[in-house]
């Protein structure tokens, strides 16, 4: 059995910050009040424990996600909680070691007694813990990378993930740029091999030749890579990158340095390239030359009530969100919002069973940040975010190049999801 | 008995041994010569660290040079080094046992024979002490013990008394004189201390510029004019 | 090392009866170790949460890896900066066999040990010509090359062909564990037993002929040769032994983590491995366990306390510098001295208090 | 040149143990001073401490008015005190030529060339070895290099630990008049030597050290005439206890 | 045989290889810069400074911080970077380098791994790649350049190669013609003895450490521009230079230069060969391993005591 050792790790100090916010008043608190049911009333009931597992290692830090969830929870707790119950997030960090990820899951369940898993931003977690969650009847909500995040019954992500985002970028090159050839390049980090399957299927369906390349990361000779990509694509081809922002930037800058932007018809990139930083770092030559698949709206450009709430929470509770506004905290916000919305539907005690029943029952939750409403459902696989849009740099900013578009069902995984979702009664746009 | 014929060693442009020929019969023999004459090089050839360009060495009717270097110890060749090489992290006992267990001798009597060698050099009291904690004199004795343990056939001592004061040199000399009776080995002693050499070695050979310039009964050799000129210097020894 | 060792040596006044005493001390030590082992096997899993059981499993595994490196570094004087790559080979082989066959787990462990031994010795073969800095650097180079190769080749994930890797899987199957040790506490015990066997294997080497031969080689190769030691053989032997136990550790690791990724075997890991081995004490068997604890338990504790893993790296860096400048024989050498001083003081206290109790009428 | 090199009350600790205890030695310019003693007496430790290589725990090293104790080795060398540590410590990876060049680092190019020429005059054996790496030299040749390094660099005081170590008798004989000439030119020489006869033959004054203390000091002649004196100093410590391993904590009588 | 044939057939043409040659030469130039910097220190102190890359990376990140968050003039920021790397390396040398001076080369080298780990940890702590944020240093010279035939060559490429050549010439001349050069080599052999011979060892070694650090800083900025501004990447990029230094047996500066260029060029020109492209990062390892094995054919027995 497990010891009764109390863990003093990075759980949200919900009560203290809730008390703090109660005394402070003003514009911010009225803005953030929308996150809870009773504005300004701190939650005092027994806490509802939520767990998450996130990658945090030298070079890869995904903690902005859970930190944003904690910020959201603090906001909720200061404004009535969930039926008076405060939310408490237990965060387990890992260094991409499988054993650690497995141990973290057990720690959350056995020592921290969490009732749900929400907000997993991790490189491996979906793969490793799937069978454990299934065994316990837990339905996790995450923003993942590992294939199991989308291909298993007990996981549903808010993000689109590298494969379907790459699909989107390739789809744009095929349908909108009309490239006569696709060069799809990504890192050869293990476990990412499955991604190329989507772009390959799309290109095949369009009868366009596709070359799939992998590069060792970190990239140490970006110029060589750049030249190689341009040579491979040819003047009427498109190059589509699927890398993390630093790697993508390194390649695109090398392209720029060597003056190769115009040697191909267009450049494409999966979601990670969707940052203003990249737009700024690249010159105006890239305007309408680079097309980036965007999974969620650009928070800087939008100002609906949800985005306003997001920014207000970030300002008031999000001091630990190091990156500020960005896709990690946006997804963190969404994961928290959907969970709270689901918890609100629970009648009676918050047990693992009742809470997970509510989570798996999520259907058609709307968000300003996503193209389609979000649904969980007892499905064999979950790709609830499968429709998005495309952005392009425009003098230092990313602007929309194409509005919401469904990812092509030429990718067999998407086709399979659509058929099971349809059977489940999910309305897909 | 060891017979060396036409042994030549070259290092790049340097000829350290130049057609050296000599015969050591039995007992303790001295090998002297000026600095850089090739004495250590000769020992290195015998132990296999240096491959000669030409020449043969027959020891007890076996071709020594065709043997792999580590096999020579098994065969019965032992040596000490000009820069002492006792193994610091092991005890005196283990230092000696190490040599014993890599020789052809059986393990049945190992402990006895090892302790016997340690007793022989007079280190019984510190037999289980780590060599690293011992002083220079004792370390040299450890090397001697390693050289005489078991049944060596050929013992090579390279300046064992260098840096030892008179009293300890005397003790060492006594040990060297008793090696033949202790283990019946042919012993070759290199040293620049003529009193040690003449007290230990009935016969002595002299090497100069890689060539033998004299050999025979020690007293005669030390009076040899050529030896006096090349090695001993004018006034010494009468 | 020579100066350091001399400095740490107090002027001895060892009584001639030392060997007898040593034997008694040996007996006591064996008993203590046995009790400790029984506690670790039976008591520990009851006391720890699953989180720590898993990290203790890792400690057992990495102790064996550290032990292998310790044999090379501490015993023979061969610095290897490529042991993480050797571990990766062991894990790769085990994973391949686990997916491809239904052999008993123990057979897989043995096989991965033996195959890693062959490969490790092959690596050692050319490396035998060099020592010191060059050997350290060539192993670093080889480790780097193996890392790059593994990144391209990937770890087996149940696919077919030589590499056993299928990149298109949207479902990655996990590696199996031995039938008798499917749960985490059971697998922990299993790992400890395997580790204990590896320690015994090394002990059997270190205490006997090869151990003495290695000590001779470490100090001076010519002296070793002159003592009749086949230095090539014994150096290869050390490489073989270290690779074997590291290979077995790789096999245990495969079952412990159940999913293997090449990101878990970076060139940098070989460096941290050397760092902790030096910190623990490369000269001692206990040093290996300390190294294992430093490498696996400490991160788990810090992680649980919410301390950034970057601090751990900094800590290891400071540790290496501290150990190399002030305590070349590692923590295990310093700690016992401090502890025995403490023990003596405590012993004095209890004896005194016992005496006063006895005097009381 | 005036003023002696005065070592006063030197204390040197090694491995947590005082191996040199309150040793006072005076090295007069223009003279040879001998320092004798059994293994482990602390002679070499004292030399290293004077040279700034080992830390001095106590005492002073006065060169005229200048305090040299606890200065760095290169300062001490530049002040004119050259040491030859025991054990043929040369620069093994450098050629003989470069070994000599480093030794004349502080001299002008002209003086350096002269020094090199003098070294080869002193040890003609080295002439053919100039391009050889020092580690490949024979033991005696290495000893010649370290002696040359000290002698060619125009020191005011030389301290030589084990002058004749590994040298052929003929070389030692050649060295004796050289040392004498060096001393006569005004240099103060401290000789540590296992062949007592060699050292005492050269020296004016002599010291005998045992167990880290000076047990005798007086004229070299007196020691030479009364070998018993020397032996009584040596034998205070009993023979055959395994060199320097024996406990030296007992405070010997006298001193 | 068959595989060889296939490879030969898929070899890219000279025309295709040209751009790769340019990038290879630029990278090779920086590798040479680093390699020579490391060798000079090694020949002086016997330390193979494995923290070379980390010090440069740290400096480059500081420069980035100053430029992007403090609005400092970029040239000033690069100067700060170079000084930082110099000072960190110097400080290490003065504190630890000196205390370890008498130890075996492998111990001294291992100790620099300690510094590497500290710098690496600190960099990750201070500049986490949070949310995948990326940083870059773009030298103004990136946007200048010229064409050779079809190939774009930037001024940065030219500078990289030129700096590599310059340092090679300067250090060779320095070590050959100054007596300081001999003194430096003497120190690597035995610092104590060199000091007793009257060489001002502290000054000489301080100069060597600082010089090494400065070179690390320069290399850091150039590599941050040419490769990427990423702590781990830059820290371990030192392995390529290390390979070059090893091929030169840690002694010849010219061979280091040549080997560095070869490593850079081979690595780059393998890119378009599809069957090898993913393995091209093994170039430094393979070249160094092969060179060491060939060069070390002759067995040397040394009586020197080894540490560990
Ligand atoms: N590896 C080598 N490379 C070049 N020259 C060498 C090498 N080994 C020895 N020599 C040279 O060979 C000659 C003989 O050396 P050796 O060590 O045999 O002399 P020795 O008779 O033992 O002299 P000593 O009495 O001084 O020890 C010396 O001149 C030495 O410089
Ligand atoms: N590195 C060391 N660490 C600890 N103790 C040492 C060390 N070197 C020498 N000693 C001890 O210091 C004492 C004095 O040694 P030192 O070498 O100075 O004597 P010595 O008079 O020069 O003897 P020798 O005639 O053997 O050269 C000895 O007891 C020796 O054991
Ligand atoms: Mg010799
Ligand atoms: Mg001495």
């Amino acid at each position: 059995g497990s010891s009764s050792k109390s863990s003093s790790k990075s759980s949200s100090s919900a009560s203290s910050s809730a008390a703090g916010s109660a005394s402070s008043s003003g514009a911010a608190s009225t803005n953030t009040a929308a996150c809870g049911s009773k504005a300004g009333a701190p939650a005092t009931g027994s806490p509802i424990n939520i767990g998450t597992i996130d990658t945090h290692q030298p070079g890869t830090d995904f903690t902005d996600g859970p930190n944003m969830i904690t910020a959201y929870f603090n906001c909720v707790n200061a404004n009535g909680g969930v039926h008076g119950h405060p939310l408490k997030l237990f965060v387990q960090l890992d260094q991409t070691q499988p054993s650690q990820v497995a141990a973290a899951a057990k720690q959350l369940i056995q020592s921290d007694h969490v009732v749900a898993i929400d907000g997993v931003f991790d490189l491996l977690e979906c793969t490793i813990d799937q069978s454990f969650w299934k065994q316990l009847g837990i339905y996790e909500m995450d923003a993942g990378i590992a294939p199991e995040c989308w291909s298993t019954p007990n996981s549903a992500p808010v993000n689109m993930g590298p494969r379907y985002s790459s699909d989107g970028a390739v789809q744009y090159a095929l349908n909108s740029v009309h490239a006569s050839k696709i060069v799809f390049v990504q890192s050869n980090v293990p476990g990412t091999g499955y991604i190329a399957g989507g772009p390959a299927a799309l290109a095949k369906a369009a009868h366009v030749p596709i070359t799939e390349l992998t590069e060792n990361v970190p990239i140490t000779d970006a110029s060589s890579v750049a030249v190689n990509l341009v040579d491979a694509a040819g003047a009427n081809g498109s190059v589509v990158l699927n890398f993390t922002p630093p790697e993508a930037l390194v390649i695109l800058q090398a392209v720029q340095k060597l003056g190769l932007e115009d040697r191909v018809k267009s450049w494409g990139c999966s979601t990670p390239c969707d940052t203003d930083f990249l737009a700024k770092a690249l010159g105006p030559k890239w305007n309408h030359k680079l097309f980036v698949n965007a999974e969620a709206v650009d928070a800087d450009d939008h100002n609906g009530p949800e985005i306003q709430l997001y920014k207000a929470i970030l300002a008031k509770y999000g001091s630990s969100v190091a990156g500020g506004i960005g896709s990690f905290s946006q997804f963190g916000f969404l994961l928290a919002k959907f969970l709270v919305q689901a918890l609100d539907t629970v009648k009676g005690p918050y047990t693992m069973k009742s809470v997970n029943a509510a989570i798996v029952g999520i259907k058609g939750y709307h968000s300003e940040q996503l193209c389609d409403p979000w649904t969980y459902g007892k499905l064999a696989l979950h790709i609830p975010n499968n429709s998005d849009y495309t952005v392009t740099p425009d003098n230092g900013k990313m602007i929309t190049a194409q509005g919401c578009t469904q990812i092509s069902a030429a990718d067999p995984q998407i086709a399979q999801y659509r058929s099971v979702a349809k059977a489940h009664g999910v309305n897909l746009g | 008995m060891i017979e060396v014929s036409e042994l030549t060693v070259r290092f790049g442009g340097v000829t350290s041994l130049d057609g050296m020929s000599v015969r050591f019969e039995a007992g303790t023999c001295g090998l002297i010569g000026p600095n850089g004459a090739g004495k250590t090089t000769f020992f290195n050839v015998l132990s296999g660290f240096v491959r000669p360009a030409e020449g043969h060495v027959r020891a007890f009717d076996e071709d020594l040079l065709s043997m792999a270097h580590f096999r020579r110890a098994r065969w019965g060749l032992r040596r000490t080094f000009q820069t002492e090489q006792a193994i610091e992290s092991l005890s005196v006992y283990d230092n000696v046992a190490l040599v014993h267990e890599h020789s052809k001798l059986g393990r049945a009597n190992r402990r006895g024979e090892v302790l016997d060698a340690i007793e022989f050099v007079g280190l019984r009291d510190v037999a289980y002490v780590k060599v690293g904690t011992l002083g220079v004199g004792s370390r040299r004795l450890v090397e001697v013990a390693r050289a005489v343990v078991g049944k060596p056939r050929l013992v090579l001592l390279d300046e064992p008394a260098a840096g030892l004061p008179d009293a300890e040199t005397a003790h060492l000399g006594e040990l060297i004189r008793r090696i033949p009776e202790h283990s019946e080995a042919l012993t070759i002693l290199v040293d620049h201390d003529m009193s040690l050499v003449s007290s230990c070695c009935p016969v002595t050979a002299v090497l100069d510029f890689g060539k033998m310039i004299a050999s025979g009964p020690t007293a005669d050799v030390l009076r040899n004019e050529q030896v006096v000129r090349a090695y001993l210097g004018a006034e010494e020894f009468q | 090392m020579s100066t350091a060792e001399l400095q740490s040596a107090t002027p001895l006044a060892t009584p001639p009866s030392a060997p007898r005493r040593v034997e008694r001390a040996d007996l006591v030590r064996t008993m203590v170790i046995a009790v400790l082992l029984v506690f670790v096997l039976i008591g520990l899993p009851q006391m720890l949460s699953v989180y720590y059981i898993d990290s203790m499993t890792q400690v057992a595994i990495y102790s064996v890896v550290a032990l292998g490196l310790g044999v090379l570094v501490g015993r023979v004087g061969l610095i290897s900066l490529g042991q993480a790559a050797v571990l990766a080979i062991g894990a790769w082989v085990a994973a391949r066999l686990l997916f491809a066959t239904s052999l008993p787990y123990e057979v897989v462990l043995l096989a991965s040990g033996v195959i890693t031994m062959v490969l490790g010795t092959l690596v050692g073969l050319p490396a035998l010509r060099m020592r010191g800095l060059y050997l350290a650097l060539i192993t670093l180079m080889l480790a780097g090359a193996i890392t790059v190769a593994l990144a391209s080749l990937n770890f087996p994930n149940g696919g077919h062909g030589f590499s056993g890797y299928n990149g298109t899987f949207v479902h990655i199957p996990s590696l199996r564990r031995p039938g008798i040790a499917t749960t985490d506490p059971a697998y922990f015990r299993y790992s400890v037993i395997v580790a204990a066997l590896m320690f015994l294997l090394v002990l059997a080497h270190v205490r006997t002929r090869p151990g003495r031969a290695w000590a001779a080689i470490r100090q001076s190769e010519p002296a070793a040769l002159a003592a009749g030691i086949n230095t090539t053989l014994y150096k290869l032997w050390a490489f073989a032994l270290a690779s074997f136990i590291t290979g077995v550790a790789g096999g245990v690791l495969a079952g412990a983590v159940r999913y293997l990724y090449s990101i878990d075997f970076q060139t940098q890991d070989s460096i941290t491995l050397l760092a902790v081995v030096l910190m623990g004490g490369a000269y001692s068997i206990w040093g290996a366990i300390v190294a294992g604890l430093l490498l696996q338990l400490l991160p788990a504790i810090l992680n649980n306390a919410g301390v950034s893993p970057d601090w751990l790296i900094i800590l290891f860096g400071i540790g290496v510098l501290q150990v190399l400048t002030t305590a070349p024989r590692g923590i295990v050498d310093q700690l016992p001295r401090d502890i025995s001083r403490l023990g003596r003081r405590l012993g004095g206290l209890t004896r005194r208090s016992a005496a006063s109790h006895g005097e009381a009428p | 040149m005036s003023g002696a090199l005065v070592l006063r009350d030197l204390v040197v600790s090694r491995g947590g143990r005082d191996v040199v205890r309150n040793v006072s030695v005076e090295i007069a310019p223009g003279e040879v001073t001998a320092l004798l003693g059994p293994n482990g007496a602390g002679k070499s430790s004292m030399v290293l401490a004077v040279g700034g290589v080992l830390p001095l725990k106590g005492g002073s090293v006065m060169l005229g008015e200048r305090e040299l104790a606890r200065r760095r080795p290169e300062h001490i060398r530049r002040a004119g005190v050259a040491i030859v540590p025991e054990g043929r410590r040369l620069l093994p990876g450098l050629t003989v030529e470069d070994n000599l060049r480093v030794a004349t680092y502080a001299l002008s190019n002209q003086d350096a060339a002269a020094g090199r020429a003098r070294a080869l005059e002193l040890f003609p054996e080295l002439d053919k070895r100039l391009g050889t790496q020092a580690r490949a030299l024979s033991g005696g040749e290495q000893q010649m290099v370290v002696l040359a390094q000290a002698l060619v660099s125009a020191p005011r005081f030389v301290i030589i630990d084990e002058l004749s170590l590994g040298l052929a008798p003929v070389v030692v004989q050649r060295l004796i008049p050289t040392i004498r000439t060096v001393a006569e030119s005004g240099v103060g020489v401290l000789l540590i030597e296992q062949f007592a006869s060699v050292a005492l033959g050269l020296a004016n004054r002599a010291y005998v050290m045992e167990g880290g203390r000076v047990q005798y000091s007086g004229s070299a002649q007196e020691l030479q005439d009364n070998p018993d004196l020397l032996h009584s100093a040596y034998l205070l410590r009993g023979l055959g206890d395994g060199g320097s391993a024996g406990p030296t904590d007992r405070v010997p009588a006298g001193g | 045989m068959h595989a060889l044939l296939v490879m030969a057939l898929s070899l890219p043409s000279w025309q295709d290889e040209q751009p790769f040659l340019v990038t290879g030469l630029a990278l090779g130039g920086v590798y040479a810069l680093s390699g020579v910097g490391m060798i000079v220190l090694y020949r002086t102190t016997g330390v193979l400074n494995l923290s070379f890359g980390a010090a440069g990376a740290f400096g480059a990140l500081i420069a980035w911080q100053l430029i992007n968050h403090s609005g400092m003039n970029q040239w000033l920021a690069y100067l700060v970077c170079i000084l930082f790397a110099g000072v960190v390396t110097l400080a290490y040398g003065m504190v630890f380098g000196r205390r370890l001076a008498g130890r075996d080369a492998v111990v001294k080298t291992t100790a620099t791994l300690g510094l590497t780990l500290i710098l690496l940890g600190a960099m990750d702590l201070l500049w986490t790649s949070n949310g995948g944020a990326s940083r870059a240093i773009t030298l103004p010279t990136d946007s200048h350049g010229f064409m050779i035939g079809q190939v774009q060559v930037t001024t940065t490429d030219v500078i990289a190669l030129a700096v590599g050549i310059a340092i090679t010439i300067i250090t060779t001349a320095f070590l050959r013609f100054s007596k300081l050069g001999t003194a430096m080599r003497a120190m690597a052999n035995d610092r104590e003895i060199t000091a007793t011979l009257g060489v001002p060892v502290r000054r000489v070694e301080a100069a060597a450490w600082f010089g090494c650090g400065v070179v690390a800083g320069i290399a850091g900025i150039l590599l941050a521009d040419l490769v990427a501004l990423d702590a781990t990447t830059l820290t371990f990029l030192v392995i390529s230079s290390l390979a070059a230094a090893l091929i030169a047996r840690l002694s010849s500066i010219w061979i280091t230069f040549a080997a560095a260029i070869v490593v850079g060029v081979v690595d780059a020109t393998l890119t378009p060969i599809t069957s090898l492209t993913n393995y091209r990062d093994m170039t430094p390892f393979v070249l160094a391993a092969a060179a060491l094995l060939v060069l070390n054919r002759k067995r040397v027995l040394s009586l020197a005591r080894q540490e560990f």
Side-chain angles (χ1 to χ4, degrees), chain E residues 9 13 24 27 45 72 100 144 149 160 169 223 278 300:
Chain E
L9 288 177
S13 67
L27 271 181
T45 58
M72 189 185 265
L100 292 167
H144 302 287
I169 294 173
L223 288 174
N278 274 335
V300 214

Side-chain angles (χ1 to χ4, degrees), chain C residues 61-118:
Chain C
I61 294 167
Y62 277 86
S63 298
V64 175
V65 180
L67 183 68
L69 184 55
V71 166
L72 290 178
V73 173
R75 303 285 162 179
V76 205
L78 302 167
I79 296 264
S80 169
L81 276 170
Q83 281 315 99
V86 177
L87 178 68
I89 293 176
W92 194 96
V93 171
R96 191 71 201 95
L97 289 174
L98 287 171
F99 277 126
T101 68
S102 53
L103 291 171
Y105 208 87
E106 295 71 26
V107 178
V108 171
L109 287 184
L110 207 61
S112 58
V114 170
I115 294 173
T116 313
M117 179 176 85
V118 172

Side-chain angles (χ1 to χ4, degrees), chain B residues 23-163:
Chain B
R23 208 181 142 88
F24 296 104
E25 285 296 342
T28 307
C29 313
L31 177 63
I32 59 175
N35 296 123
K39 305 176 295 293
T40 302
T41 307
F42 173 57
F43 278 9
N44 283 344
V45 169
L46 294 186
S47 6
F49 299 159
V50 168
R51 201 182 298 264
E54 286 158 35
H56 302 278
V57 177
R58 288 196 76 74
F60 301 100
D61 286 325
E62 282 183 66
D63 181 9
L64 199 60
L65 299 186
S66 64
M67 240 181 269
H69 40 19
F70 61 89
R71 289 245 160 70
R72 299 184 196 190
R74 254 169 243 188
W75 170 87
L77 182 138
R78 304 284 167 72
R79 74 173 288 185
T80 69
F81 290 88
Q82 194 164 356
T83 317
E84 154 277 317
Q85 302 283 324
I87 291 145
E88 294 177 344
S89 56
L90 297 181
S91 67
V92 172
Y93 179 89
D94 280 345
N95 256 280
V96 181
L98 178 76
V99 179
H100 195 280
E101 69 193 359
H102 286 94
S103 58
K104 272 198 278 207
L105 306 160
R107 61 187 326 176
N109 205 11
R110 179 162 300 154
R111 201 176 161 80
E113 290 182 15
V114 169
L115 289 175
D116 185 42
I118 295 173
E119 184 87 59
F120 175 70
V121 298
L123 291 180
R124 190 59 233 262
D125 283 355
V126 289
Y128 295 100
V129 171
K130 270 199 182 164
V131 167
T133 64
L134 297 180
V136 197
S138 313
R139 287 176 184 223
R140 296 224 180 238
L141 294 178
V142 172
E143 279 213 306
V144 174
R146 294 206 312 191
V148 301
V149 68
K151 291 265 165 289
R153 298 160 89 170
L154 185 55
V155 174
L156 312 175
L157 303 174
D158 198 352
E159 301 195 23

Side-chain angles (χ1 to χ4, degrees), chain C residues 9-75:
Chain C
T10 40
L12 287 189
T14 318
S17 62
R20 189 91 18 95
R21 266 227 214 137
V22 166
E23 276 157 27
R24 194 171 324 137
D26 265 3
L27 200 70
V28 172
R29 196 176 309 154
T30 316
M31 300 257 296
V32 169
I33 292 173
V35 170
L36 215 65
L37 198 62
V38 168
F39 166 74
V40 166
L41 285 175
I42 297 168
L44 208 57
Q46 315 266 286
M47 293 164 53
L48 294 179
S49 69
V50 189
Y51 180 81
Y52 282 108
I53 288 180
D54 270 12
S55 73
M56 287 309 287
T57 308
Q58 299 282 320
V59 170
I61 294 167
Y62 277 86
S63 298
V64 175
V65 180
L67 183 68
L69 184 55
V71 166
L72 290 178
V73 173
R75 303 285 162 179

Side-chain angles (χ1 to χ4, degrees), chain A residues 56-64 188 213-216 218-225 227-228 231 245-246 249-250 253 257-259 263 277 322-323 328, chain E residues 16 19-20 23 27 124 128-136 138 142 150 152 154 157 225-228 230 233 237 267-268 271-272 274 277-281:
Chain A
H56 178 46
Q57 65 184 18
T60 312
D61 180 1
F62 290 168
T63 49
D64 266 8
N188 70 352
L213 297 175
T214 57
E215 274 302 327
N216 297 326
I219 291 171
T220 53
D221 51 350
S223 301
S224 303
V225 174
V227 173
N228 204 30
D231 285 353
L249 179 67
V250 159
Q253 276 189 321
K257 199 155 69 178
L258 299 174
R263 293 263 298 272
F277 170 79
F328 279 71
Chain E
D16 292 340
F20 298 103
T23 61
L27 271 181
D124 276 321
T128 44
S129 43
N130 214 320
S134 45
R135 304 177 182 88
T138 317
D142 281 1
Q150 287 278 357
Q152 171 77 28
T154 71
D157 293 334
D225 177 281
L226 290 171
V227 176
D230 172 69
T233 312
L237 210 57
D267 198 333
T271 314
T274 343
T277 185
N278 274 335
Y279 294 93
R280 70 179 186 280
D281 287 346

Side-chain angles (χ1 to χ4, degrees), chain A residues 31-32 68 298-318 325 333:
Chain A
N31 276 344
T32 56
M68 183 65 209
D298 185 342
D300 287 322
D301 272 2
H302 292 69
N303 227 357
E306 185 181 323
I307 295 286
Q308 278 179 28
L309 178 64
Y310 160 65
K311 287 178 183 167
I313 291 178
L314 200 55
K316 187 162 181 200
Y317 300 97
I325 293 175
F333 176 88

